[in-house]
Amino acid sequence: MAGRTVTRAQLSEAVYQEVGFSRSESTELLESILKHISNALAQGELVKISSFGTFSVRQKGQRVGRNPKTGQEVPILPRRVLVFRPSQVLKSRINTKRHPKAAV
Amino acid sequence: MTKSELIARLAADNPHLYHRDVERIVTTIFDEITAALADGDRVELRGFGAFSVRERNARTGRNPRTGDSVSVDAKYIPYFKTGKQLRDRLNGKP
């Protein structure tokens, strides 16, 4: 694994390089994309990006958890969690490119 | 919301941009994330979440229909961990 971390900076740099918008405009557009996705999810909408994956919101019921340090029982309240299901395309891309162990 | 709806919403926010360019921006971003993951990199978008690649060991699986055992090769899977800010938003916290 290369083990680097890609952040907003590199993604907006890619928009700047590939699409030719100014760096500041690229940064704003990236932010705007994340905002639209977050808003949709907060509304409980499904977000489906073809050939990338699907983000969905799932409702979890209350259950009893345990503080692993003290062993004390604590209720875990009902909550909404985000689930990402990668598309087949993304999964196969990740398994076909130079991962040393996958080649064995 | 699908990718094309996302593009339409962005285009509505940015009437000065060509629809085609908005489309290219969205595609570029998801392609870039995919390429980074394919290289084994992590993609961290503070407040939104982080994409990473996790390893799954080889295992012996079963064909659920016939019950035959089949070997499943080791593989990598993309993983997404929701960012704190988004997680809080989903649960109505500010």
Side-chain angles (χ1 to χ4, degrees):
Chain A
M1 298 229 171
R4 284 166 304 184
T5 299
V6 170
T7 61
R8 281 175 172 77
Q10 286 90 326
L11 295 185
S12 44
E13 180 68 19
V15 173
Y16 164 74
Q17 299 270 349
E18 312 252 323
V19 195
F21 284 115
S22 73
R23 284 198 168 83
S24 66
E25 195 156 25
S26 301
T27 307
E28 272 173 41
L29 286 161
L30 169 62
E31 215 47 60
S32 179
I33 290 171
L34 297 178
K35 189 196 74 188
H36 276 289
I37 298 176
S38 305
N39 288 351
L41 292 167
Q43 303 291 319
E45 247 185 281
L46 195 78
V47 176
K48 197 169 181 170
I49 308 295
S50 69
S51 80
F52 186 74
T54 304
F55 297 90
S56 58
V57 178
R58 196 174 287 174
Q59 178 72 46
K60 294 265 204 173
Q62 175 163 351
R63 65 189 170 90
V64 179
R66 213 174 261 281
N67 179 330
K69 199 174 276 178
T70 63
Q72 203 180 356
E73 281 189 3
V74 278
I76 296 177
L77 299 174
R79 66 204 196 285
R80 295 203 297 166
V81 295
L82 181 52
V83 183
F84 174 66
R85 275 205 65 202
S87 75
Q88 214 41 252
V89 179
L90 178 58
K91 283 199 251 178
S92 69
R93 275 288 308 274
I94 280 163
N95 282 286
T96 46
K97 224 176 150 191
R98 54 180 154 119
H99 278 310
K101 281 180 191 157
V104 179
Chain B
M1 179 171 78
T2 61
K3 184 175 163 185
S4 48
E5 282 161 3
L6 170 63
I7 292 165
R9 290 180 198 189
L10 283 164
D13 280 358
N14 298 280
H16 61 293
L17 299 181
Y18 287 113
H19 195 276
R20 172 176 43 98
D21 284 339
V22 177
E23 208 173 313
R24 284 179 66 200
I25 293 162
V26 173
T27 302
T28 300
I29 287 171
F30 288 108
D31 281 355
E32 206 63 26
I33 298 174
T34 303
L37 293 173
D39 282 346
D41 292 341
R42 218 175 101 80
V43 179
E44 186 178 312
L45 303 165
R46 261 314 139 80
F48 182 76
F51 296 93
S52 58
V53 176
R54 292 195 170 181
E55 219 181 317
R56 287 279 176 271
N57 289 327
R59 62 188 170 86
T60 309
R62 294 236 173 231
N63 178 331
R65 184 166 298 175
T66 63
D68 293 347
S69 61
V70 279
S71 67
V72 180
D73 291 341
K75 63 185 171 196
Y76 290 94
I77 55 143
Y79 176 78
F80 178 74
K81 183 171 192 275
T82 315
K84 190 175 180 334
Q85 213 178 308
L86 181 54
R87 203 182 334 130
D88 286 347
R89 246 195 98 184
L90 292 177
N91 289 291
K93 285 177 230 169

